[in-house]
């Protein structure tokens, strides 16, 4: 039984019990007699979590993050930041905690999509490319290109449309972010669609709608 403590550096193991690195945690040993004597029958896990979550290293990291956030939002001093009160915890998670676009979020995105019948094949290639060839970060860029936001958000998308675009293999996809609409030219192959889509999303700026 051991745990890792890390502050943006390779984690060093911290033993929770003597020889803990060589002990596999099981239902039988997770409430060992040693832990019972030290922390009580139901307190050993809480004690371990306290060590991990409220360690000096974690407190310093949390304080540094808080000070950086206050500075970015124009606050003063260690805790005075009126703008921060405008955000609920869920808003901050949406802004910074959503991360890249995983396959679960991709499925939610696809579930609200409507497809123009003239580009059924290109639409099928589009979703195949997103699921099988693009990583989470690149999927997020496609979502931002098409909708103006790089994450699905806790409420999800209400609608998304795939429509035909002008031209053929030589044209890039275009988007109307205000309407969650992506226009795909009638590409001749999945590989062409992949290349043109990636070129389009990586050539755009970093503007994002919040």
């Amino acid at each position: 039984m051991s745990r890792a403590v890390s502050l943006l550096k390779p984690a060093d193991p911290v033993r929770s019990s003597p020889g803990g690195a060589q002990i596999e945690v099981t239902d039988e040993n997770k409430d060992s007699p040693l832990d019972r004597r030290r922390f009580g029958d139901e307190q050993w896990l809480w004690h371990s979590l306290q060590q991990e979550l409220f360690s000096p290293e974690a407190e310093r990291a949390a304080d540094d993050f808080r000070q950086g956030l206050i500075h970015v939002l124009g606050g003063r001093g260690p805790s005075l930041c009126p703008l921060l009160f405008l955000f609920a915890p869920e808003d901050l998670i949406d802004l910074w905690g959503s991360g890249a676009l995983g396959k679960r979020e991709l499925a939610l995105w696809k579930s609200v999509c409507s497809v123009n019948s003239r580009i059924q094949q290109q639409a099928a290639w589009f979703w195949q490319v997103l699921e099988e060839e693009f990583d989470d970060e690149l999927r997020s860029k496609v979502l931002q290109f098409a909708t103006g936001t790089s994450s699905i958000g806790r409420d999800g998308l209400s609608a998304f449309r795939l429509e035909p675009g002008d031209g053929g293999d030589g044209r890039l996809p275009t988007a109307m972010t205000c309407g969650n609409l992506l226009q795909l030219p009638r590409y001749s192959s999945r590989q062409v669609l992949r290349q043109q889509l990636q070129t389009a999303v990586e050539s755009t700026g970093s503007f994002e709608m919040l």
Side-chain angles (χ1 to χ4, degrees):
M1 289 177 282
S2 63
R3 59 190 177 88
V5 176
S6 176
L7 265 183
L8 301 180
K9 62 180 181 180
D12 297 321
V14 178
R15 291 173 179 79
S16 300
S17 62
Q22 285 74 47
I23 301 175
E24 181 180 358
V25 178
T26 66
D27 287 338
E28 289 71 29
N29 68 13
K30 68 183 182 182
D31 55 349
S32 66
L34 174 61
D35 289 330
R36 287 182 182 179
R37 288 197 299 272
R38 292 175 63 189
F39 311 121
D41 286 345
E42 298 180 357
Q43 294 300 313
W44 72 271
L45 181 57
W46 171 241
H47 173 80
S48 180
L49 290 174
Q50 277 187 313
Q51 286 184 312
E52 180 69 29
L53 299 177
F54 303 108
S55 65
E57 293 89 350
E59 289 184 9
R60 284 195 294 271
D63 186 62
D64 289 342
F65 177 80
R66 181 168 54 250
Q67 294 306 314
L69 179 59
I70 291 173
H71 176 73
V72 168
L73 294 177
R76 300 189 305 276
S79 60
L80 182 60
C81 185
L83 283 179
L84 193 56
F85 290 100
L86 299 176
F87 295 95
E90 294 81 6
D91 296 325
L92 296 178
I93 291 173
D94 282 346
L95 287 172
W96 295 313
S98 298
L101 191 76
K103 291 189 176 181
R104 177 181 174 276
E105 290 78 18
L106 178 63
L108 293 174
W109 180 11
K110 185 177 179 180
S111 69
V112 298
C113 178
S114 61
V115 178
N116 187 297
S117 59
R118 290 181 291 166
I119 55 164
Q120 289 284 354
Q121 181 61 74
Q122 287 75 18
W125 288 336
F126 172 77
W127 295 114
Q128 289 169 7
V129 165
L130 289 184
E131 182 173 5
E132 300 172 13
E133 300 189 46
F134 285 5
D135 59 17
D136 292 359
E137 182 178 357
L138 194 49
R139 288 190 205 108
S140 182
K141 289 182 178 180
V142 175
L143 179 63
Q144 182 173 343
F145 174 79
T147 69
T149 180
S150 58
S151 65
I152 294 294
R154 62 183 183 276
D155 297 324
L157 290 175
S158 59
F160 180 71
R161 293 161 55 202
L162 288 173
E163 295 286 343
D166 295 331
D169 288 354
R171 296 292 296 268
L172 296 176
T174 56
M176 298 182 183
T177 57
C178 58
N180 289 350
L181 184 151
L182 181 65
Q183 295 175 305
L184 295 174
R186 276 167 266 193
Y187 296 121
S188 60
S189 70
R190 169 171 157 173
Q191 184 58 35
V192 172
L193 184 146
R194 182 198 187 285
Q195 182 59 51
Q196 296 295 68
L197 180 61
Q198 184 170 354
T199 299
V201 301
E202 292 184 340
S203 301
T204 59
S206 59
F207 173 79
E208 182 168 2
M209 296 178 63
L210 303 177

